[in-house]
Amino acid sequence: MVQKYQSPVRVYKHPFELIMAAYERRFPTCPLIPMFVASDTVNEYKSEDEAIHVIERRCKLDVDAPRLLKKIAGVDYVYFVQKNSLNRRERTLHIEAYNETFSNRVIINEHCCYTVHPDNEDWTCFEQSASLDIKSFFGFESTVEKIAMKQYTSNIKKGKEIIEYYLKQLEEEGITFVPRWTPPVACKLERSSSHTRRPVSPAINIPDSATKEALNKEILNTSSSPAEPTAGTPDDKLDADYIKRYLGDLTPMQESCLIRLRKWLQETHKGKIPKDEHILRFLRARDFNIDKAREILCQSLTWRKQHQVDYILDTWNPPQVLLDYYAGGWHHHDKDGRPLYVLRLGQMDTKGLVRALGEEALLRYVLSINEEGLRRCEENTKVFGRPISSWTCLVDLEGLNMRHLWRPGVKALLRIIEVVEANYPETLGRLLILRAPRVFPVLWTLVSPFIDDNTRKKFLIYAGNDYQGPGGLLDYIDKEIIPDFLGGECMCEVPEGGLVPKSLYRTAEELENEDIKLWTETIYQSASVFKGAPHEVLIQIVDASSVITWDFDVCKGDIVFNIFHSKRAPQPPKKDSLGAHSITSPGGNNVQLIDKLWQLGRDYSMVESALICKEGESVQGSHVTRWPGFYILQWKFHNMPACAATNLPRVDDVLASLQVSSHKCKVMYYTEVIGSEDFRGSMTSLESSHSGFSQLSAATTSSSQSHSSSMISR
């Protein structure tokens, strides 16, 4: 498995030239890096005006590895080749490094660059990326990978310290300023004279082959190459200082995971990127395993979009019954600055609330509490000047009895826990359970299996008045804000709860209808796509130049998205006994409109190039229609191409064909037709333009203006 690393942008508040002077002092050896034993110059090139300086070094490293492993490998030192390409004119330094030792077994590549800060020419930015691919190593591949990652991580941490060490050394020597490169006087005169006379080709010395090769490589390296990292603006890249200020102290590999997952989301979910702290929560929930974090994050983003959770605080008003009888509310903050939520569960009539409101209304209210918690974390981060990404919950169980173990109530509680665990990971910093009665172990036995192990570690349980003693409430909450009902002096405005009047109870039918209404209030529809059975949506266009807009998420599998046009309407789908035209499944409907007898090019035509969409991607786009008639949007199962070198099927293809689940995809989509005059310059009628996670996104970018053909952003 290839291990990758991508650093954030590290900013030095010093000019580029001074940083370069400090950087050069790292060679030929650096006492701050004990493993860096020596380095020898292999090739060197300088341009006549000294603007370009390319130097290639062979570096000798004493890797901290077990002696037995070194003996088996037959080496005491590891050699790397490092090539530095300095462009004083552009004020950039590009660094490439690769391993020379065991290059046929282990492939290590590193790219670094120093550039001028885009917003302040007196500051310098630094970025680096690296990859490690161990093909084979005498059966010690896993050990070598761990050693390499440990050594590399250690050196990353020292990188900034080393530059600052040599900056201080320069300052002690009285060097606090290094002038910028300027063209030589002769060059200036030649340029000025070139305006008055024709240039004459002067006699020049032809460099030898080695120098020419270095020059050619330098020309390539100094050009903007997409393979190399370049310093960007804070809008599209993460700054190391920003990470420390708003996200906390992360290890280099944790920073890399955050940056790589964030970059993937930018590429696949344009305009709907969650905030960095929210991405970080999902990474922490999966121990910074990018693949696992990406999977649950994409599921959560799709869930939020489908149920419009982003607008819940602005568009949903809790019923008065909840405001009167739900005994919970926000109450200042704990000693760590976390928002504090107080829940008087023992005083709450869970049975009455479920009978009066239903399970879905309670769930929606809890979701609104979590959304408010996210907002308060952001506010407290600004107020306290340190990253706060979770809240503390204080649960008072005084009054808890067997009435609270009513089966439908427990079922609703378990459902709420399941949804919150899946979509708000790592938001609970600490849970203080006070005055736990004898019946509490029964409730805990029912609930604990549904709670994540990391979350359970944050639970602190106190029986009776134990919370008043040492290690109790005062260790976590300031005395001034302890609620009055717990013996404190602070008046708590949390409702006292009480029994819900039976006159407010509703019938099972009323609650069921209300629950359906709550969770079907969405503009998005779900559809299943099967191998050989695409899902199709018919759109009739009366006025040419109308705009068809779409917004869909690929929830499962890979699909191909097509747009067709036909002058005649397809036959409506027949729901026959075999379900040939319409299939209903738990994951959504499947409707086929294009008749099998229709021929492409005769009965209907393709108006857009086919678009392949991978699982987890979010796609928004539009098409300006040229003709009236019938347009068909089609989501089709994507067949993986077979091996081109042989007609025989691959093993992976055979195994995939044996799995029924691999023949099913799922999409969630929304379409709308608007007039071109309304579309141009405004996307307010397209839901995707403002479905960009109002609570989770720092900013939402709407789709660009329409063109004469189509626009697809993915």
Side-chain angles (χ1 to χ4, degrees), residues 291-309:
D291 293 334
K292 292 181 179 179
R294 177 170 55 195
E295 180 181 358
I296 61 172
L297 177 56
C298 287
Q299 291 172 356
S300 178
L301 295 184
T302 302
W303 171 82
R304 295 181 68 89
K305 183 176 179 180
Q306 184 174 15
H307 299 299
Q308 302 183 57
V309 179

Side-chain angles (χ1 to χ4, degrees), residues 473-498:
L473 208 55
L474 285 174
D475 286 9
Y476 307 102
I477 300 175
D478 289 327
K479 182 179 179 180
E480 294 77 16
I481 64 171
I482 292 180
D484 52 345
F485 61 86
L486 292 175
E489 300 177 357
C490 184
M491 293 297 296
C492 186
E493 298 181 359
V494 174
E496 295 183 0

Side-chain angles (χ1 to χ4, degrees), residues 357-386:
L357 297 168
E359 182 180 319
E360 299 300 334
L362 277 175
L363 173 58
R364 182 163 285 204
Y365 189 57
V366 173
L367 296 182
S368 69
I369 293 171
N370 281 270
E371 291 296 305
E372 177 63 24
L374 295 177
R375 276 191 184 180
R376 288 175 178 262
C377 285
E378 290 182 29
E379 294 173 358
N380 286 17
T381 296
K382 297 175 183 177
V383 171
F384 293 100
R386 60 179 182 272

